[in-house]
Amino acid sequence: MSTEVPESAVPPPGGTDESSPAPSRRTFIATTAVGGAVVAGGVIGGTSLLGQEEASAAGAVPSSRVSLTVNGARRTVTVDNRTSLLDLLREHFELTGSKKGCNAGACGACTVLVDGQRVNSCLTLAVRLEGVEVTTIEGLADGDQLHPLQRAFVDQDAFQCGYCTPGQIMSGVGCIKEGHTGSPQEIREWMSGNICRCGCYVKIVRAVEQTARGK
């Protein structure tokens, strides 16, 4: 049931000494609605403008210019400060040999050499590598001449699906340079950061051992 009071039921103004007539409920609601819409529009408009400014400021992602040598070639690029070395190699330089496996430094599929030392490129910020030398799987071979460890992987049939192979080989090269090839047990220990889902560990160890012995 409606509770609205008819305008006819509202008493007229008492006299000329009253400053202004009392507004009817309908007039009050209409005035409030119009005024509220104007106010709301102003607030919404202001918020929208502020939001655009904030969005513009947020869109200015911090970036840096970095120069490094990759596989013997000097490269200079401006990248988002959050870019990993792995993403720099794959997405900016199109060197897709280094694989993105876990992207958390646990599988070793992204292993590359930085100044001769093996690193997980997924955990390494590109902007911190100013002036360094990076070697990826693409930079190991000398033209058509395979690196000795690459050849050993072929000889020993040390891969199956091949996804982890680039990281295994790069880690193996680092392991040999570090001198951690005194025994199969030592090789397994120092290659333990590289996971092979196919289980080719025995042949991988043989390939590293073959290369270390120069056979």
Side-chain angles (χ1 to χ4, degrees), residues 118 149 167-177 181 191 208:
R118 47 186 170 161
L149 186 54
Q168 296 279 3
I169 292 176
M170 297 309 298
S171 187
V173 170
C175 186
I176 293 169
K177 287 185 176 180
T181 57
M191 290 286 292
V208 173

Side-chain angles (χ1 to χ4, degrees), residues 100-110 120 164 168 193-197:
K100 182 175 287 190
C102 64
N103 206 33
C107 72
C110 67
N120 291 321
C164 76
Q168 296 279 3
N194 292 76
I195 296 174
C196 174
R197 304 295 183 185

Side-chain angles (χ1 to χ4, degrees), residues 66-205:
V66 59
S67 295
L68 65 165
T69 301
V70 181
N71 297 331
R74 191 69 171 174
R75 309 291 292 265
T76 300
V77 64
T78 299
V79 294
D80 181 331
N81 287 349
R82 299 165 296 182
T83 302
S84 69
L85 173 58
L86 177 60
D87 286 339
L88 177 68
L89 294 171
R90 291 180 58 85
E91 298 177 12
H92 292 264
F93 299 158
E94 299 183 351
L95 297 171
T96 56
S98 303
K99 304 304 181 185
K100 182 175 287 190
C102 64
N103 206 33
C107 72
C110 67
T111 304
V112 300
L113 301 180
V114 174
D115 286 341
Q117 301 296 314
R118 47 186 170 161
V119 302
N120 291 321
S121 59
C122 72
L123 297 183
T124 306
L125 288 176
V127 294
R128 300 187 63 184
L129 301 179
E130 177 66 31
V132 306
E133 183 170 350
V134 177
T135 304
T136 71
I137 190 68
E138 291 91 343
L140 276 188
D142 183 9
D144 294 332
Q145 184 67 36
L146 294 178
H147 183 279
L149 186 54
Q150 291 176 309
R151 172 52 59 190
F153 263 67
V154 174
D155 293 343
Q156 296 293 340
D157 194 21
F159 50 88
Q160 187 168 322
C161 77
Y163 193 84
C164 76
T165 303
Q168 296 279 3
I169 292 176
M170 297 309 298
S171 187
V173 170
C175 186
I176 293 169
K177 287 185 176 180
E178 294 160 14
H180 299 304
T181 57
S183 66
Q185 292 76 16
E186 185 178 14
I187 294 172
R188 283 195 292 269
E189 175 67 24
W190 288 91
M191 290 286 292
S192 61
N194 292 76
I195 296 174
C196 174
R197 304 295 183 185
C198 303
C200 296
Y201 295 113
V202 173
K203 295 179 180 180
I204 290 172
V205 170

